């Protein structure tokens, strides 16, 4: 169809609203990105990515979906699987959690029960989304290119990486973005 992510979600929602066989609700029941290690998707190895890129794609896709207002739920396909899963079974039998596991855990911990508030003004190739959570405001932000500067709507009390690691607080309302999502918990002032 040649549509961007939110355009595809809008199209999905329109199908759900007009089909006599649905309730009008839309869920994305299987999403994932194949890893270089294989097995590979029917689209072939050319669409495969490394684990860090998979985690970036996961976080960005979920955030775009939440902000679109067109879908209620998004499910990752394959919790544990070689080539796709959020985790994989290692040769010694232990379960290894991939970066995508940590990215989804962080997103759920920060934004579970949240409401999308607005997309904030940002440079091209950057996304800055504000959410209202039971604990206050959270901004999720990233850019497709490294080194893109965007402005937060207010001071922050916490900054977390895509995987939930504590990052230094920004020295101002301007933040430096890259392909990995960063989360900024707003001070509420």
């Amino acid at each position: 169809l040649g549509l961007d992510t939110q355009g595809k979600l809008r199209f999905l929602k329109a199908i759900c609203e007009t089909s006599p066989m649905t309730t009008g609700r839309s869920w994305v029941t299987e999403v994932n990105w194949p890893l270089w290690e294989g097995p590979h998707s029917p689209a072939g190895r050319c669409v495969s990515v490394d684990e860090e890129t998979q985690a970036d794609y996961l976080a960005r896709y979920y955030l775009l979906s939440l902000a679109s207002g067109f879908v209620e739920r998004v499910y990752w396909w394959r919790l544990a699987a070689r080539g796709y899963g959020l985790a994989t079974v290692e040769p010694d039998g232990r379960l290894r959690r991939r970066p995508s596991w940590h990215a989804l855990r962080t997103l759920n911990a920060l934004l579970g029960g949240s409401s999308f508030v607005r997309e904030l003004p940002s440079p091209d190739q950057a996304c800055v989304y504000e959410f209202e959570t039971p604990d206050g405001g959270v901004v999720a932000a990233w850019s497709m290119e490294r080194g893109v500067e965007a402005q937060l709507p207010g001071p922050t009390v916490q900054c977390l990486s895509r995987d939930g690691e504590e990052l230094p607080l920004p020295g101002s309302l301007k933040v430096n973005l890259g392909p990995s999502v960063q989360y900024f918990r707003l001070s509420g002032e």
Side-chain angles (χ1 to χ4, degrees), residues 14-183:
I15 291 170
C16 292
E17 288 176 342
T18 58
S19 173
M21 304 301 289
T22 70
T23 62
R25 300 167 68 189
S26 60
W27 297 0
V28 176
T29 57
E30 292 181 4
V31 65
N32 69 50
W33 283 270
L35 295 165
W36 286 335
E37 70 192 34
H40 305 293
S41 76
R45 188 172 175 80
C46 65
V47 298
S48 300
V49 297
D50 62 58
E51 289 186 357
E52 291 297 324
T53 302
Q54 181 194 53
D56 284 340
Y57 285 179
L58 179 149
R60 295 190 314 237
Y61 184 83
Y62 273 73
L63 288 164
L64 287 165
S65 298
L66 285 169
S68 76
F70 300 126
V71 296
E72 292 179 33
R73 298 179 185 190
V74 178
Y75 293 96
W76 186 266
W77 182 70
R78 304 298 300 253
L79 174 63
R82 180 166 169 73
Y84 293 94
L86 298 175
T88 189
V89 178
E90 294 294 330
D92 63 4
R94 76 180 168 86
L95 188 66
R96 180 176 64 85
R97 296 173 179 167
R98 300 182 197 274
S100 54
W101 172 290
H102 300 289
L104 186 56
R105 181 200 63 206
T106 300
L107 192 142
N108 284 331
L110 288 172
L111 298 178
S114 71
S115 298
F116 175 67
V117 175
R118 63 187 167 145
E119 181 174 1
L120 295 162
S122 61
D124 288 345
Q125 299 296 313
C127 293
V128 183
Y129 292 154
E130 185 176 0
F131 294 87
E132 185 62 38
T133 72
D135 300 330
V138 173
V139 170
W142 73 93
S143 65
M144 298 310 295
E145 302 292 328
R146 294 189 189 287
V148 174
E149 195 173 82
Q151 182 147 338
L152 298 174
T156 60
V157 294
Q158 186 180 36
C159 179
L160 298 171
S161 74
R162 174 200 71 202
D163 300 336
E165 296 167 0
E166 196 84 31
L167 297 173
L169 289 175
S172 71
L173 296 182
K174 292 190 184 296
V175 292
N176 194 2
L177 304 176
S180 291
V181 172
Q182 294 178 60
Y183 298 96

